[in-house]
Amino acid sequence: MNSEPHDDEQGRRPSTDAEAAVARARFDERGLLPAIIQEEGTEQVLMLGWMDAEAMRRTLTEGRVTFWSRSRQEYWRKGDTSGHAQYVRAAALDCDGDTLLVRVHQVGAACHTGAHACFDVDPLTPALGGEGA
């Protein structure tokens, strides 16, 4: 049985692409990168989590979002205990390489409170500015 990674539709090898992306990423002094999780289809921002190089590598190669827990100091994969999984559909580094955007198919709630999105929990009422305000 061949264990070599298979090319995707564009002829890329996921593990090679993941290593190149991790090498381009600009992790902070703690070795972390913020990862914005966005729902495919609705484009709603569901949550923000933190990834180190290994969490980013796992996310890009396994098809499920993996984070680094700053409080527990361990890896966690959304849905392993709750069943509310995030399946990777696309990913991109921002222009500076210091933030990752991951588009996902969300199964169940994204927030640990049970809300669909973490930003549904505490909406604010800021003053609106600029054109069209």
Side-chain angles (χ1 to χ4, degrees):
M1 179 176 195
N2 185 356
S3 63
E4 290 289 316
H6 299 307
D7 293 353
D8 68 7
E9 299 86 35
Q10 287 80 37
R12 299 174 301 197
R13 291 187 178 235
S15 61
T16 303
D17 287 351
E19 290 306 319
V22 169
R24 287 194 314 275
R26 295 182 48 213
F27 298 92
D28 70 12
E29 64 281 350
R30 298 166 297 167
L32 299 174
L33 178 81
I36 300 166
I37 308 303
Q38 181 183 44
E39 188 170 34
E40 71 171 340
T42 68
E43 298 186 356
Q44 180 181 16
V45 174
L46 299 174
M47 61 177 287
L48 180 134
W50 295 91
M51 294 183 184
D52 66 1
E54 181 60 23
M56 183 178 172
R57 187 175 294 110
R58 290 180 189 186
T59 296
L60 296 176
T61 61
E62 295 176 2
R64 293 268 311 274
V65 179
T66 299
F67 298 101
W68 175 254
S69 171
R70 296 174 298 161
S71 59
R72 295 187 312 268
Q73 295 290 295
E74 66 184 15
Y75 295 104
W76 62 280
R77 198 167 63 166
K78 180 63 85 172
D80 280 352
T81 57
S82 68
H84 299 169
Q86 295 173 335
Y87 295 98
V88 176
R89 295 297 187 246
L93 285 166
D94 76 341
C95 58
D96 296 322
D98 62 2
T99 303
L100 182 67
L101 174 67
V102 184
R103 295 190 68 184
V104 301
H105 171 73
Q106 178 69 43
V107 175
C111 186
H112 73 281
T113 66
H116 181 68
C118 294
F119 298 101
D120 293 342
V121 177
D122 189 13
L124 307 176
T125 309
L128 303 181
E131 292 183 30

